[in-house]
Amino acid sequence: INAEYMGSFLFNFIDDFFWCCFLTTLFLFFYFVFVQKKNRLFKHKSQHKMFDDQFQIRVVDEEKFGGTEKFNQESKEFISTTTQFHEMVENLLELLGKQEKLIEAEKLKAIGLQNRMNGEAEIRRRQQQEQQTKLEEKEAQLQRYIVQYESLLKIESEQRQLIERLSGTDSRSSQL
């Protein structure tokens, strides 16, 4: 699994999680406001007069008006909370993005070091082969020198024997 896939997977997961939490919270909020408090809102028949957006007079039960005001306040709190949550998620995603970049950089550095290490091993292997070849050449040269030296010793020995023989025959012929 590469880092890019993990980053996008994590981003999608957090994004989906955020929307799931948001919709669940919204559902629970509306359920609580409309279903659970429905009975309390319609019990009292005292009315409150107010103007709507088109400046029409509206008559609303006191409990409904209080419920509406409470709903308005709770809606503002909910929006504030979701905004804070959204900011936290954005901060988390930003942090994860930074971490992803750091991880990718370290991964590339590790790959570079591994390639360098493999290259060093190859260089050492080649140097060892070169040294082994040089050693074999030097050993072969040494063998040739040893054979040549032994040959020269043999020739020297033969020449000394020849000189002695000739010196010995010259001394005999002069004695005669």
Side-chain angles (χ1 to χ4, degrees):
I1 297 176
N2 64 23
E4 181 179 319
Y5 173 75
M6 283 302 292
S8 66
F9 172 76
L10 191 56
F11 177 77
N12 289 336
F13 174 76
I14 290 172
D15 191 40
D16 292 344
F17 180 73
F18 168 75
W19 284 110
C20 182
C21 289
F22 175 75
L23 292 175
T24 304
T25 307
L26 192 62
F27 173 76
L28 290 174
F29 178 74
F30 282 115
Y31 176 78
F32 177 73
V33 169
F34 290 112
V35 175
Q36 297 295 326
K37 294 194 174 189
K38 180 179 178 182
N39 295 332
R40 282 187 252 163
L41 291 176
F42 294 111
K43 280 185 181 176
H44 300 289
K45 296 295 179 186
S46 62
Q47 297 180 340
H48 185 73
K49 295 163 194 79
M50 58 180 267
F51 292 98
D52 65 4
D53 293 340
Q54 292 134 4
F55 300 105
Q56 300 281 330
I57 294 179
R58 299 287 177 196
V59 178
V60 181
D61 289 337
E62 189 66 35
E63 280 190 23
K64 285 184 182 180
F65 180 74
T68 303
E69 288 297 316
K70 186 176 179 185
F71 176 72
N72 189 16
Q73 182 61 31
E74 289 175 355
S75 296
K76 287 179 183 178
E77 290 174 8
F78 177 74
I79 289 170
S80 173
T81 304
T82 54
T83 303
Q84 289 175 352
F85 179 71
H86 188 332
E87 289 172 359
M88 289 171 49
V89 169
E90 284 181 347
N91 290 337
L92 177 64
L93 290 176
E94 183 179 326
L95 179 66
L96 289 174
K98 288 178 183 177
Q99 288 297 323
E100 178 185 3
K101 288 178 184 176
L102 288 174
I103 290 170
E104 190 65 28
E106 289 298 320
K107 180 179 156 186
L108 290 175
K109 193 185 294 183
I111 290 171
L113 288 174
Q114 184 179 16
N115 289 342
R116 184 189 221 177
M117 200 171 79
N118 290 342
E120 287 290 324
E122 182 65 27
I123 289 171
R124 284 186 189 148
R125 187 185 60 78
R126 266 192 258 134
Q127 286 176 343
Q128 185 178 11
Q129 285 179 343
E130 289 173 4
Q131 294 295 327
Q132 185 66 31
T133 304
K134 285 181 182 179
L135 179 65
E136 289 171 358
E137 288 174 0
K138 295 292 181 181
E139 285 178 348
Q141 188 177 13
L142 177 63
Q143 272 313 81
R144 284 193 302 272
Y145 287 155
I146 290 173
V147 168
Q148 187 179 8
Y149 176 72
E150 289 174 351
S151 173
L152 289 173
L153 285 178
K154 185 177 178 184
I155 291 172
E156 180 186 23
S157 169
E158 288 175 358
Q159 286 179 352
R160 285 183 192 236
Q161 285 176 358
L162 181 63
I163 290 174
E164 283 181 15
R165 235 185 314 150
L166 289 176
S167 299
T169 37
D170 277 340
S171 52
R172 281 192 229 171
S173 51
S174 45
Q175 285 179 357
L176 283 174

